[in-house]
């Protein structure tokens, strides 16, 4: 998170990064080597082989932040409002991901998943089922597909326990969703990385932190509109003129974007931490599928904030429970970058056992045989949220900025900012790349 502060610092008027004149011109700069930035840079280098694409990542390898701290679930596209980008891009991304996994030998398994309901939650799974039957393929002009969107099945308590005998007898209904699966997200990211490296005009640049971005307007016939991207690497900083910028910087994307906006237009950001626990012990001996409870929708929580503390399997069959949901409140100084070290974030990401009793309580509501002693703290991840607790549904947000009125009129020289790319961001990554390239950057 150090870069987040570096960036914010660059933005304020007394910042240490002074404007620099660009030394070279490139076609595309993608900020952030998480799964989303990788998917975008991969597709850019494939779709525009003669143009230069640079993916800038502040760490020394890909996927060091949100993309390495998640459930690795290929979501089916079940939960979100039908017309939302989350639904559209999850459905499309899911299929693109299965295709890519098969083609590139990326480990994955289409496990299917069960959403299980107690008697007071029956209407929730019935509602999900009714919605899934009505889902249609998104009608993008570059897409033609009429295959099954979702083929969910409503099950009785007995049928659910036939599939998963370890489930509680309190479970009276379930929704079977065969399209859900799991993927080795690191192999997936490596395959994208390899494609970029192998392309002639695509490059991955590590240990490079974007610290400042300025609009660049053409002054004479010899210059052009674009964005001056200043990056710092090993103490040195340099600037390049990017014709287009795609910002996929995850948790920092708001900070980055805010840097070019007046205070009144800045986007607030909220952080929701999710902790996992690994499990070895009784009560799960026959588990074969992913199992999700119904999301908690009590007075202080909204179903869209988290899918509930669920059971995931990895490709080795290891069982994990999580993630739970805890809103965290970084001190103002951490967000605005007025302090030097990243202690707050580092501490937040250390797994600790204080969450285990609550995770145990949540899990035993559907798997009664699970014992507290078998739980161990596992990964911790942070969801970048655009809305505050209890505020309901927030879609992915793709924000466009232009360096000049002229560029805006011609839809040229975009800076596209990807905001709020929380779950199902991994599943949607290839579809996010598709919509950005086919829908926003091509045919202008
Ligand atoms: C607990 C949890 C569970 C989840 N489970 C699932 C799931 O099961 N299935 C699913 O589909 N999705 C899931 N998600 C969502 C998914 O993990 C994210 O949507 C996705 O990983 C986001 O990827 P990203 O590339 O946007 O962000 P990141 O992976 O965070 O990538 C951003 C990158 O930008 C770099 N960066 C930032 N600022 C700069 C800068 N100034 N200069 C250079 N580089 C910079 C960072 O170092 C980082 O590598 C989950 C998320 C969480 C938190
Ligand atoms: C890559 O860029 C160079 C320089 O612009 C160009 O000559 C070359 O043809 C490009 N490669 C491909 C595969 O288009
Ligand atoms: C993307 O990143 C750049 C630089 O890091 C920033 O200026 C821009 O505002 C960011 N966009 C978003 C949506 O964060």
């Amino acid at each position: 998170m150090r870069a987040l502060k570096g960036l914010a610092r660059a933005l304020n008027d007394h910042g240490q990064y002074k404007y620099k004149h660009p030394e070279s011109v490139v076609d595309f700069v993608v900020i952030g080597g998480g799964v989303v930035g990788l998917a975008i840079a991969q597709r850019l280098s494939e779709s525009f082989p003669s143009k230069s694409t640079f993916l800038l990542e502040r760490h020394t390898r890909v996927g060091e932040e949100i993309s390495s701290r998640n459930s690795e679930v290929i979501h089916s596209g079940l939960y979100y409002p039908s017309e939302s980008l989350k639904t559209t891009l999850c459905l499309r991304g899911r299929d693109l991901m299965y295709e890519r996994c098969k083609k590139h030998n990326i480990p994955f398994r289409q496990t299917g998943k069960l959403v299980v309901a107690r008697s007071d939650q029956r209407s929730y799974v019935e509602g999900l089922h009714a919605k899934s039957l009505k889902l249609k393929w998104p009608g993008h002009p570059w897409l033609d597909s009429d295959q099954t969107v979702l083929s969910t099945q409503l099950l009785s308590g007995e049928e659910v326990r036939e599939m998963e005998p370890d489930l509680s007898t309190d479970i009276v209904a379930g929704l079977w969703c065969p399209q859900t699966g799991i993927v080795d997200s690191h192999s997936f990211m490596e395959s994208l990385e390899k494609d970029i490296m192998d392309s002639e005009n695509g490059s991955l640049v590590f240990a490079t932190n974007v610290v400042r971005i300025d609009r660049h307007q053409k002054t004479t016939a010899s210059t052009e509109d674009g964005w001056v991207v200043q990056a710092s690497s090993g103490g040195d900083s340099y600037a390049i003129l990017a014709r287009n910028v795609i910002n996929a910087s995850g948790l920092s994307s708001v900070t980055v974007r805010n840097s070019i906006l007046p205070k009144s237009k800045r986007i607030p950001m909220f952080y929701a931490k999710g902790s996992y626990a690994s499990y070895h012990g009784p009560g799960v001996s026959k588990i074969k599928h992913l199992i999700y409870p119904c999301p908690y929708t009590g007075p202080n929580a909204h179903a869209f904030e988290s899918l509930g503390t669920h059971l995931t399997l990895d490709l080795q069959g290891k069982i994990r429970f999580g993630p739970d949901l805890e809103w965290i409140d970084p001190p103002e100084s951490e967000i605005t970058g007025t302090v030097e070290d990243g202690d707050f974030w580092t501490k937040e990401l250390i797994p600790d056992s204080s969450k285990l009793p609550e995770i145990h309580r949540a899990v035993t509501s559907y798997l009664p045989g699970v014992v507290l002693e078998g739980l161990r703290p596992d990964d911790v991840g942070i969801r970048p949220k655009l809305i505050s607790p209890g505020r309901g549904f927030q879609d992915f947000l793709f924000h466009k900025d232009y360096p000049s009125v002229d560029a805006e009129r011609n839809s040229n020289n975009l800076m596209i900012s990807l905001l709020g790319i929380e779950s199902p961001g991994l599943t949607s990554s290839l579809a996010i790349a598709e919509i950005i390239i086919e829908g926003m950057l091509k045919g202008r």
Side-chain angles (χ1 to χ4, degrees), residues 187-198:
S187 301
F188 178 68
M189 286 190 276
E190 275 165 26
S191 87
L192 295 168
E193 185 181 0
K194 181 167 185 306
D195 274 8
I196 300 166
M197 296 296 210
D198 290 349

Side-chain angles (χ1 to χ4, degrees), residues 134-171:
K134 279 188 272 174
L135 276 184
K136 295 220 169 49
W137 267 108
H140 294 308
W142 63 89
L143 239 181
D144 83 72
S145 179
D146 48 20
Q147 68 201 99
T148 315
V149 179
L150 273 176
S151 47
T152 53
Q153 236 180 308
L154 211 47
L155 305 175
S156 68
E158 290 70 40
E159 289 170 314
V160 171
R161 270 182 301 279
E162 240 164 68
M163 293 177 76
E164 293 291 359
D166 294 315
L167 281 169
S168 161
T169 48
D170 290 346
I171 300 299

Side-chain angles (χ1 to χ4, degrees), residues 49-50 200-201:
S50 63
E200 207 169 311
N201 290 318

Side-chain angles (χ1 to χ4, degrees), residues 369-436:
V370 166
V371 298
L372 180 59
E373 298 70 39
L375 292 168
R376 293 277 173 279
D378 207 89
D379 279 341
V380 178
I382 297 186
R383 310 168 180 91
K385 297 269 188 187
L386 292 174
I387 51 175
S388 54
R391 288 267 314 280
F393 178 72
Q394 169 65 53
D395 212 350
F396 294 152
L397 204 63
F398 305 137
H399 195 94
K400 297 190 227 175
D401 290 288
Y402 298 91
S404 68
V405 178
D406 220 31
E408 179 157 11
R409 197 177 302 121
N410 301 315
S411 285
N412 271 335
N413 307 106
L414 284 159
M415 175 162 80
I416 303 172
S417 298
L418 280 63
L419 300 172
I421 313 295
E422 49 169 335
S423 195
L426 168 65
T427 311
S428 307
S429 54
L430 296 173
I432 293 175
E434 182 179 63
I435 200 174
I436 285 187

Side-chain angles (χ1 to χ4, degrees), residues 3-4 7 31-38 56-59 61-75 208-211 248-252 256 272 274 276 292 310 323 380-384 396 421-428:
L4 190 153
L7 247 187
I31 304 165
V35 70
V36 174
L38 283 164
L56 308 182
E57 167 55 51
R58 62 187 172 195
H59 296 296
R61 41 184 190 167
V62 302
E64 287 284 281
E65 299 205 353
I66 318 178
S67 298
S68 56
R69 300 163 176 278
N70 61 57
S71 307
E72 302 193 298
V73 173
I74 303 179
H75 283 298
T208 295
N209 193 359
V210 174
V211 292
S249 59
L251 293 173
S252 333
V256 178
Y276 291 90
Y292 283 61
H310 48 264
V380 178
I382 297 186
R383 310 168 180 91
F396 294 152
I421 313 295
E422 49 169 335
S423 195
L426 168 65
T427 311
S428 307

Side-chain angles (χ1 to χ4, degrees), residues 7 11 31-32 209-214 227 229-230 245-250 252-261 267 397-399 401 415-420:
L7 247 187
L11 317 176
I31 304 165
N209 193 359
V210 174
V211 292
R212 173 173 180 141
I213 293 191
D214 293 273
W227 302 91
V229 178
Q230 192 176 144
V245 174
I246 296 101
N247 183 2
S249 59
S252 333
S253 60
V254 164
T255 320
V256 178
R257 179 151 195 287
N258 282 350
S259 68
I260 59 160
L261 293 176
I267 296 172
L397 204 63
F398 305 137
H399 195 94
D401 290 288
M415 175 162 80
I416 303 172
S417 298
L418 280 63
L419 300 172

Side-chain angles (χ1 to χ4, degrees), residues 39-97:
I40 292 168
Q42 189 270 344
R43 194 166 179 126
L44 282 171
S45 56
E46 189 179 272
S47 301
F48 301 103
S50 63
K51 298 195 170 176
S52 48
T53 297
F54 283 83
L55 175 56
L56 308 182
E57 167 55 51
R58 62 187 172 195
H59 296 296
T60 51
R61 41 184 190 167
V62 302
E64 287 284 281
E65 299 205 353
I66 318 178
S67 298
S68 56
R69 300 163 176 278
N70 61 57
S71 307
E72 302 193 298
V73 173
I74 303 179
H75 283 298
S76 58
L78 191 60
Y79 288 101
Y80 307 101
S82 313
E83 304 299 320
S84 64
L85 282 170
K86 280 188 178 170
T87 294
T88 312
L89 297 176
C90 185
L91 288 171
R92 175 68 177 157
R94 170 198 90 189
D95 285 13
L96 290 173
M97 184 170 281

